[in-house]
Amino acid sequence: MTDRIAALDTQYRALSDAQLQAKTKTFQERLQAGASLTDIMIDAYATVIEADRRVLGLTPYREQILGGVALQFNNVAEMKTGEGKTLTATMPMYLNGLTGPGNFLITANEYLANRDAANIGRVYSWLGLSVSAGVAQPGEDDDDRDLQAIYSSNIVYTTNSALGFDYLLDNLAASPAKKYIQPFHFALLDEVDAILLDMAQTTLIISGAPRSQSNLFTPAEKLMAIMTPKVDFEQSDDTKKAWFTPVGIHRMATYFGVPNILSADYADLYRHMVLALKAHYLFTRDRDYVVDNGEVSLLDLANGRKLPGMHLEAGLHQAIEAKEHVELTAPTRSMASITYQNLFRMFPHLSGMTGTAQTDAEELRETYNMEVVVIPTHRPMIRVDHTDHLFATNEEKIMASLAAVKKAHAEQRPVLIETGSVSMSNLYSRLLLREGIAHNLLNARSAAKEAKIVAIAGESGAVTVATAMAGRGTDILLDKETVGKGGLLVVGTERMTSRRVDDQLRGRAGRQGYPGTSVFYVSLEDRVVIENSPKWVKRVRQKTAARWHPGVPVQPLAGRRFRNVVRRAQQNVTKNQRTARFNTLEFDEVFRVQREYIYGMRNELMTSPNLQDQIDRVLVMAVDAFIHDNRQLDMITIADFVLNTMDYSFSPNALVQHRELVEDTELLRVFLLATARARLEKQFTDLGNAEQILYFQRLALLKALDSAWIEQVDALHQLKSVVQERVSAQHDPVFEYQKEARRSFSKMRADFADQATRNLLLSVFVHQSDGTVEVQYP
């Protein structure tokens, strides 16, 4: 197919601008007549290739055309850094854009989305298709976006989080006029492995409906600050878990003046102490989060970027805020949520691009039904990748890597120093300043300057210290002087959690056949080793650390035994992450079924011209739930239900002549339904206007449904952490989650019916002088 497309080059170059632009209308007419995208693909690709040349001045290489063809058939195209993925994407995006709205190119960040929508978007606009950036423009807020214009465009350049949150908000709309997202058709994911693998477990959550603020975070933090490690609490060797000792539990009880802090009466107090323990010893500042302007911002461990708007759940975020002595944010309930896994599995047509995917090809195939196709480079890869320099301690590693940087800098060779955390990047920055080496620092605190820092990182003598955020969506260009000095030197200061991330970092050098070098400096004290290595490694670390002192010549560790430690540690992390992603998918499958049911129900309520059937079902559900929940009935219980659910003016004396209702549930059911329907008729009589009646019915049902669903979403998120603890009791957490989620969903339906009945029957109407009606809900 690539050969056939390339063979049309001369023919399409001979077309005038008007003839080439007219191709778009021809393709759209063929699609409307029943042709498939595959039928028009050859001609459409040839059209956009020529448009690229005329509008951008860039002509795709044969390898880029091959990548574009692979992308159209639900594949992941593995294209090395600098091979022109941005231009490759124009081909499948134009072809799918011919079908109308619902086509998205998902980029790494908002800067790239705006840049490519403006620059590459000129090609689509020239050919007659509409294109938009789905993210806010620089200096604007998300609320400033014209969502109607964005999501009615043929092609949208956006980010995964922007699309995910817009999808959730779209399904909280109160009317069809406020729903903007068109049915999903095609998504092309740039850096697909970062989104579908590294961030697969990230749950996008719309929060609202604030909970009452707890006043226990500060007292728990004050006590935690004076508790002693290994006396009051202990940590596992991998530092992933922490727990209180009997001594610590006794100290808590004494401090708070309670007899037994583990009793049910003080469960909430003990929970806050556990949260404080986690905040202090499982979450590290400048590694897991940063504190800026009095706010705690979480970091993406895969690339070191901030996660704006993301909060830890179940009070853990507030515990970290208490630890850092910043103002506590209000805890909220989850109103809507979705994982990236399920968001992109909703697309019938999905493909992706990345520089590293082959190592996870099996998972991409199993989870997303996408094959990995390795696209050859346009020019041979001549980058030199050295074997790791392995040391016992961090001090040795840092000194050795610093010596390598000083040597390269003396030769005026550009150096990119990659670190695993914000704190480590700050440390290297201070060491370079001590050595008098000018440099740029790129981490979550300086992300606003990313484009400028990357633009000069390949210049002669440039030194750049960065977290893994410099490994995604960036292209470091070399000047002529740099090429002659061996190109960019990438110095990795630790192995990341995945070989794939390491390969991304190596890929900063050696782009498009240019020279380059990469080398990793690794120690047995690196996080990935500490958390995933056998106990003998800890003994080696301690023994070596006791011998080493500043000024002593640094000696790398030799032998396959030590190198295997790092390799196996990464393999363990990769295996555990894959298992965790699979479990998340199983959990979220339950969530997905319930979410789609509710969203389908919302759409039905918003668009149905007659809601009488839905209202009748709600009344029946509410009455049946009351009878089911009250096996031992009496007149007082029945009267209370009618008064508080159906009619404030109901007289309990009316039940005196119907004592048989207590004994006969079927007669009671008929009586309650008749009472409800009579009250409903009176409500509608008070409104009078048929259009107002329908609008009131719709709002009453939607308000009840949203309220019940918010409680369910919040309950399901809490349930995840609860069922994980049942593993110790030999229970399957997924089965437990399915069982409890089903029970919770049944309760949610009953709550919805009860609240909807109250909204319909107990709301008070206040008629305004202008003909409108104010509704006061119960």
Side-chain angles (χ1 to χ4, degrees):
M1 296 187 79
T2 299
D3 291 340
R4 290 169 61 194
I5 294 166
L8 294 174
D9 180 64
T10 303
Q11 176 184 334
Y12 276 73
R13 286 198 182 203
L15 297 177
S16 66
D17 285 354
Q19 288 174 319
L20 193 64
Q21 290 169 325
K23 290 286 186 180
T24 295
K25 186 175 182 181
T26 302
F27 296 144
Q28 290 173 331
E29 289 173 349
R30 288 180 61 186
L31 289 173
Q32 291 171 1
S36 68
L37 289 178
T38 304
D39 294 335
I40 66 170
M41 180 178 172
I42 303 297
D43 290 322
Y45 271 38
T47 299
V48 72
I49 287 169
E50 180 58 19
D52 287 337
R53 190 180 70 82
R54 298 187 189 188
V55 177
L56 303 176
L58 300 170
T59 302
Y61 299 127
R62 187 180 185 283
E63 292 80 9
Q64 290 172 310
I65 299 174
L66 178 62
V69 172
L71 290 172
Q72 181 55 24
F73 295 102
N74 296 79
N75 294 308
V76 172
E78 181 176 285
M79 301 178 68
K80 299 302 180 185
T81 302
E83 289 298 304
K85 292 192 285 291
T86 302
L87 195 61
T88 299
T90 60
M91 290 170 266
M93 290 311 303
Y94 171 69
L95 176 62
N96 287 277
L98 294 168
T99 63
N103 305 289
F104 301 88
L105 192 145
I106 310 298
T107 65
N109 54 56
E110 293 184 0
Y111 164 75
L112 292 175
N114 280 315
R115 183 199 72 181
D116 291 347
N119 186 32
I120 305 299
R122 292 183 294 142
V123 175
Y124 311 124
S125 299
W126 190 82
L127 286 170
L129 297 182
S130 55
V131 59
S132 294
V135 298
Q137 296 296 316
E140 294 184 353
D141 295 327
D142 285 343
D143 294 339
D144 298 326
R145 296 175 300 155
D146 184 349
L147 296 179
Q148 184 66 50
I150 290 171
Y151 288 107
S152 61
S153 299
N154 300 107
I155 298 168
V156 178
Y157 279 76
T158 188
T159 63
N160 46 355
S161 59
L163 178 61
F165 282 125
D166 284 349
Y167 168 76
L168 293 175
L169 289 170
D170 206 60
N171 283 286
L172 290 174
S175 66
K178 295 184 179 179
K179 290 178 68 71
Y180 305 108
I181 296 183
Q182 307 283 340
F184 290 154
H185 173 243
F186 172 64
L188 172 52
L189 279 58
D190 192 13
E191 306 299 353
V192 62
D193 54 328
I195 298 172
L196 297 187
L197 298 178
D198 296 336
M199 300 183 70
Q201 293 173 263
T202 301
T203 304
L204 299 178
I205 299 174
I206 301 292
S207 296
R211 301 173 183 270
S212 57
Q213 178 68 279
S214 169
N215 60 358
L216 295 176
F217 288 110
T218 301
E221 155 59 26
K222 288 181 178 178
L223 175 56
M224 197 63 239
I226 61 174
M227 297 192 88
T228 307
K230 296 185 179 180
V231 176
D232 296 311
F233 63 90
E234 293 183 2
Q235 271 187 283
S236 59
D237 289 339
D238 61 7
T239 71
K240 291 181 180 179
K241 295 179 181 178
W243 57 91
F244 289 111
T245 64
V247 174
I249 292 171
H250 177 72
R251 174 175 288 197
M252 280 187 272
T254 303
Y255 181 88
F256 290 115
V258 298
N260 182 8
I261 198 170
L262 297 182
S263 66
D265 293 339
Y266 302 105
D268 198 39
L269 178 59
Y270 183 71
R271 183 177 71 87
H272 279 75
M273 285 304 305
V274 172
L275 290 174
L277 176 64
K278 290 181 177 180
H280 266 266
Y281 292 97
L282 302 189
F283 289 85
T284 304
R285 183 170 178 167
D286 288 341
R287 185 194 73 185
D288 302 295
Y289 64 91
V290 293
V291 180
D292 279 331
N293 301 318
E295 293 184 359
V296 172
S297 297
L298 299 180
L299 295 179
D300 185 339
L301 295 182
N303 57 38
R305 295 183 189 276
K306 283 185 184 179
L307 296 171
M310 295 279 191
H311 280 200
L312 294 167
E313 294 182 88
L316 191 50
H317 202 88
Q318 285 74 25
I320 294 175
E321 290 170 334
K323 165 192 170 184
E324 298 295 344
H325 305 291
V326 301
E327 184 178 352
L328 301 188
T329 56
T332 56
R333 294 187 185 276
S334 303
M335 296 176 64
S337 73
I338 194 170
T339 60
Y340 288 131
Q341 285 176 319
N342 268 337
L343 175 66
F344 290 109
R345 278 157 59 97
M346 293 169 64
F347 281 86
H349 192 179
L350 185 66
S351 62
M353 306 181 292
T354 184
T356 49
Q358 191 62 37
T359 53
D360 294 281
E362 184 180 350
E363 184 174 355
L364 289 168
R365 183 188 308 117
E366 290 179 357
T367 307
Y368 303 100
N369 197 29
M370 293 194 296
E371 294 286 346
V372 174
V373 177
V374 179
I375 306 299
T377 56
H378 183 60
R379 295 188 179 94
M381 174 74 73
I382 61 173
R383 184 185 69 231
V384 177
D385 296 326
H386 290 296
T387 55
D388 293 355
H389 296 298
L390 178 61
F391 300 88
T393 66
N394 269 331
E395 290 87 351
E396 293 175 296
K397 174 191 73 175
I398 291 170
M399 292 301 105
S401 60
L402 190 62
V405 173
K406 289 168 64 177
K407 181 176 182 296
H409 183 64
E411 299 169 355
Q412 288 295 288
R413 185 178 183 184
V415 181
L416 174 64
I417 305 171
E418 296 279 7
T419 64
S421 65
V422 174
S423 57
M424 187 59 76
S425 68
N426 290 334
L427 173 61
Y428 268 91
S429 178
R430 289 195 291 269
L431 290 172
L432 291 172
L433 287 174
R434 189 186 70 181
E435 298 294 332
I437 298 176
H439 61 280
N440 284 313
L441 176 61
L442 176 58
N443 58 32
R445 299 184 186 279
S446 57
K449 305 175 185 177
E450 180 177 0
K452 293 182 180 179
I453 293 174
V454 170
I456 61 173
E459 294 180 358
S460 179
V463 177
T464 307
V465 181
T467 58
M469 65 188 295
R472 292 286 186 183
T474 57
D475 206 0
I476 297 176
L477 303 176
L478 307 182
D479 56 31
K480 291 183 180 179
E481 188 178 352
T482 297
V483 174
K485 294 175 180 177
L488 180 69
L489 170 63
V490 174
V491 177
T493 63
E494 63 182 275
R495 282 291 185 180
M496 304 303 170
T497 55
S498 166
R499 277 279 180 187
R500 186 168 35 79
V501 179
D502 292 342
D503 291 342
Q504 279 282 346
L505 301 182
R506 289 190 190 277
R508 298 303 96 202
R511 62 180 294 277
Q512 292 188 356
Y514 285 113
T517 306
S518 73
V519 58
F520 276 81
Y521 288 81
V522 186
S523 87
L524 298 182
E525 291 182 336
D526 287 347
R527 184 183 181 189
V528 68
V529 178
I530 289 176
E531 295 181 354
N532 301 276
S533 59
K535 290 186 177 181
W536 66 263
V537 177
K538 181 179 180 180
R539 293 193 294 271
V540 171
R541 284 198 304 265
Q542 294 171 338
K543 187 176 180 180
T544 307
R547 289 200 311 260
W548 185 81
H549 301 283
V552 176
V554 175
Q555 295 295 326
L557 294 173
R560 186 180 300 175
R561 183 189 187 200
F562 293 110
R563 297 190 184 282
N564 284 342
V565 167
V566 180
R567 179 177 58 82
R568 287 172 181 161
Q570 281 189 316
Q571 288 174 344
N572 288 339
V573 173
T574 301
K575 180 181 178 181
N576 292 337
Q577 288 177 340
R578 183 174 180 181
T579 301
R581 286 193 292 266
F582 182 73
N583 287 339
T584 299
L585 193 63
E586 286 194 302
F587 281 126
D588 208 46
E589 188 65 15
V590 177
F591 207 118
R592 180 190 66 80
V593 172
Q594 295 190 9
R595 180 175 55 241
E596 290 184 357
Y597 176 88
I598 295 298
Y599 287 175
M601 191 173 176
R602 286 189 97 259
N603 289 335
E604 181 185 353
L605 293 176
M606 281 193 293
T607 57
S608 178
N610 188 328
L611 295 174
Q612 194 54 52
D613 288 344
Q614 291 90 329
I615 290 173
D616 207 52
R617 285 201 298 270
V618 163
L619 298 180
V620 170
M621 286 171 60
V623 169
D624 287 347
F626 167 72
I627 295 174
H628 179 271
D629 294 341
N630 293 274
R631 301 289 183 175
Q632 300 295 324
L633 285 166
D634 55 45
M635 287 299 183
I636 295 177
T637 305
I638 297 172
D640 183 71
F641 174 71
V642 176
L643 278 168
N644 291 297
T645 308
M646 298 180 177
D647 190 350
Y648 288 141
S649 61
F650 178 77
S651 174
N653 292 331
L655 290 174
V656 175
Q657 56 185 324
H658 296 290
R659 294 191 178 277
E660 69 278 4
L661 297 180
V662 176
E663 305 296 334
D664 193 327
T665 55
E666 186 56 36
L667 284 177
L668 176 61
R669 187 173 184 272
V670 172
F671 172 80
L672 292 176
L673 287 174
T675 303
R677 288 163 182 154
R679 173 62 184 169
L680 193 62
E681 284 297 319
K682 186 177 185 306
Q683 287 282 73
F684 295 163
T685 302
D686 289 345
L687 275 177
N689 186 300
E691 187 175 334
Q692 288 180 327
I693 290 174
L694 179 61
Y695 188 67
F696 163 67
Q697 291 173 334
R698 182 168 289 132
L699 284 186
L701 293 173
L702 284 174
K703 186 178 178 68
L705 183 63
D706 288 345
S707 177
W709 178 237
I710 287 171
E711 293 295 327
Q712 175 68 354
V713 170
D714 197 57
L716 289 178
H717 279 286
Q718 302 292 336
L719 183 60
K720 276 187 186 180
S721 58
V722 171
V723 298
Q724 295 287 6
E725 302 300 325
R726 297 186 184 180
V727 174
S728 57
Q730 305 299 311
H731 290 289
D732 179 358
V734 175
F735 173 75
E736 292 291 313
Y737 183 77
Q738 291 171 340
K739 181 178 67 176
E740 297 293 344
R742 181 170 182 170
R743 182 182 302 162
S744 179
F745 189 74
S746 296
K747 182 179 181 302
M748 184 213 74
R749 293 186 66 199
D751 291 343
F752 158 66
D754 183 72
Q755 187 58 53
T757 300
R758 293 170 187 266
N759 289 348
L760 288 166
L761 305 184
L762 299 182
S763 293
V764 176
F765 305 130
V766 180
H767 294 267
Q768 307 295 317
S769 58
D770 60 359
T772 61
V773 179
E774 178 186 318
V775 181
Q776 297 176 353
Y777 290 99

